Amino acid sequence: MRKILVVGAGQAGLMLALGLQDRGYDVTVVSDRTADEIRGGRVMSTQCMFGTALAHERDFGLDLWAGAAPDVLGLGVSVAGPDGGRAVDWVGRLDAYAHSVDQRVKMAAWLDLFAERGGSVVVHPVGVADLEWYADRFDLVLLAAGKGPLAGMFDRDPERSPYTRPMRSLAVSYVHGLGPRPEHDFPAVRCNLVPGVGELFVIPALTLSGPCDILFFEGVPGGPLDVFQGVRDPQAHLDLTLRLMKQFVPWEYDRAAGGVALTDAHGTLSGRYTPTVRRPVVELASGGLVLGVADVVVANDPITGQGSNNAAKCAALYLAAIEARGAGKFDRAWMTETFEAYWAHAAAVTKWTNAMLAPPPAHVLTLIGAGTAHQAVADRFANGFDDPADFEEWFYTPERADAYLAALGGPSGAVGEP
């Protein structure tokens, strides 16, 4: 029986561990926290998993929250106008529902499930010396501790990493009590764009205490939303979030008029990181090899909500590659080939995410504006969150955007330059 070590108890690491366990591998998971510590800790992320990623979870037998998590049926875009109103406001229908499950709920449950099924769980912070020890005792070592210090062992790939600094300041609040958007009669992720300032995303989700909403600000560094550093008190964090909503996205602030409250004392998060693609393999001093997984090797800004989706797709691809390897050695060539197969998907995500972090060119403003008049544009944009490769066909160049809009009857409702 082949022995595999997974370092990290997140979306990709636990999916891989449970999938390998189900197929008869001898799997050990190393986590820096127990399931109870995860469950009782601070929120770790925002997340919204779309149809393809959820299908992978179902294939793994891990879709444990169907019927409990709110079904997200659409994705809407609003653009703030100079008068404080909305210059653009539309919502696209998703072809398949999406779900957002607090990772404290999901990862704690999956870690418990892995242990209940006989998996070995080691609770211990991992350093380089530990990896040396593990590499000598396991057939394959997978590092899935996405944004931890060990990710820095993997060299940055400059050709695939155009940014050298954080492009957004991030601030998250999980809340109860947010009212519905009165103009739409189905649950949707709301993307509110404030030109030159940043974005507010509102995500229907499931947390420890039931259904909730996630308020997620992405602020341009140095701008008016980049003010959460040093805010440690959760209520002060929420109060600041609400003040900024009232100033920049008052239509969303109106939903809080009935009173909102944090879901729990650990329901806030803030920070920033540099979007980075890393080389997939690290060779240890002993000669042992470590393969990076998901966010370890492709860490995009969360502006397009792709982190957990990428993680699920990476886990499914890596699992298939491990099975296909049979008794063959997990050498550098195999590791590189496996990552490149994942990169064939992740490249499209990275291109789209990096494009959304930059000031939008005129043709993108026209496309966003056209979503108001053309439901097909709104729906296609929404479903691009599930399949970002589709943006290549209509989004990146003026020529393809013009051809697409012409086929729909011409551009309409263009957004002015910020």
Side-chain angles (χ1 to χ4, degrees):
M1 184 184 299
R2 308 205 77 179
K3 297 180 63 177
I4 297 179
L5 180 78
V6 179
V7 179
Q11 177 80 38
L14 286 175
M15 277 189 72
L16 258 176
L18 284 156
L20 289 163
Q21 181 187 55
D22 187 55
R23 287 153 178 80
Y25 292 85
D26 181 356
V27 187
T28 296
V29 169
V30 182
S31 171
D32 62 355
R33 292 186 293 170
T34 66
D36 284 342
E37 287 170 337
I38 293 170
R39 198 177 284 114
R42 184 171 296 279
V43 294
M44 297 180 281
S45 67
T46 62
Q47 63 286 309
C48 188
M49 297 188 67
F50 296 91
T52 301
L54 288 179
H56 287 311
E57 286 193 352
R58 287 192 293 272
D59 291 344
F60 279 55
L62 297 177
D63 182 16
L64 308 182
W65 296 275
D71 289 344
V72 177
L73 305 179
L75 185 137
V77 171
S78 299
V79 180
D83 62 353
R86 285 169 281 181
V88 170
D89 184 48
W90 49 257
V91 61
R93 286 267 186 183
L94 292 168
D95 293 338
Y97 66 82
H99 278 167
S100 175
V101 178
D102 184 340
Q103 291 199 346
R104 296 176 298 179
V105 173
K106 181 183 286 189
M107 302 318 153
W110 282 357
L111 191 57
D112 280 339
L113 182 62
F114 177 76
E116 288 166 7
R117 291 177 176 176
S120 176
V121 178
V122 177
V123 180
H124 177 68
V126 175
V128 176
D130 300 295
L131 290 178
E132 293 278 8
W133 189 87
Y134 286 127
D136 189 48
R137 290 161 175 80
F138 286 83
D139 297 299
L140 175 62
V141 175
L142 298 160
L143 182 64
K147 299 177 181 68
L150 288 178
M153 296 170 55
F154 294 78
D155 292 335
R156 175 177 175 271
D157 186 339
E159 293 183 2
R160 293 171 171 174
S161 304
Y163 296 119
T164 57
R165 59 182 177 83
M167 299 304 293
R168 290 293 189 274
S169 174
L170 315 175
V172 176
S173 299
Y174 280 55
V175 300
H176 289 309
L178 196 69
R181 287 286 293 270
E183 61 269 42
H184 300 303
D185 60 358
F186 61 92
V189 172
R190 300 299 312 195
C191 309
N192 299 278
L193 314 179
V194 185
V197 174
E199 300 81 26
L200 172 72
F201 298 87
V202 183
I203 307 169
L206 178 72
T207 190
L208 300 162
S209 51
C212 70
D213 287 281
I214 301 172
L215 307 176
F216 175 34
F217 266 125
E218 288 233 347
V220 173
L225 302 182
D226 185 12
V227 290
F228 287 87
Q229 293 81 6
V231 179
R232 298 289 178 260
D233 178 71
Q235 186 59 48
H237 180 112
L238 176 60
D239 291 344
L240 179 56
T241 296
L242 293 173
R243 288 198 299 273
L244 293 169
M245 288 172 64
K246 185 175 184 179
Q247 180 179 357
F248 292 105
V249 286
W251 55 91
E252 296 290 7
Y253 177 79
D254 289 345
R255 300 172 64 190
V260 299
L262 292 173
T263 58
D264 61 276
H266 303 297
T268 62
L269 181 69
S270 63
R272 61 179 72 194
Y273 62 89
T274 303
T276 306
V277 178
R278 298 183 176 92
R279 304 195 189 280
V281 183
V282 163
E283 182 171 349
L284 303 170
S286 62
L289 300 177
V290 179
L291 174 61
V293 182
D295 277 3
V296 169
V297 282
V298 183
N300 289 313
D301 188 279
I303 192 170
T304 56
Q306 294 299 299
S308 57
N309 292 274
N310 273 356
K313 294 169 183 177
C314 183
L317 190 149
Y318 276 30
L319 176 61
I322 291 167
E323 282 195 284
R325 192 62 170 170
K329 187 176 181 180
F330 297 118
D331 55 17
R332 179 183 288 273
W334 175 85
M335 290 182 175
T336 302
E337 179 183 357
T338 298
F339 169 75
E340 289 298 329
Y342 169 57
W343 176 249
H345 156 77
V349 175
T350 300
K351 180 176 180 177
W352 177 47
T353 304
N354 289 341
M356 294 301 291
L357 290 168
H363 75 275
V364 169
L365 296 172
T366 298
L367 285 169
I368 291 173
T372 302
H374 299 289
Q375 188 62 39
V377 176
D379 292 347
R380 191 169 188 180
F381 187 85
N383 285 287
F385 281 72
D386 186 40
D387 179 19
D390 182 58
F391 287 109
E392 193 69 47
E393 303 301 318
W394 65 286
F395 191 78
Y396 295 120
T397 68
E399 295 77 16
R400 291 192 175 185
D402 290 346
Y404 173 57
L405 292 176
L408 295 175
S412 178
V415 183
E417 292 283 356

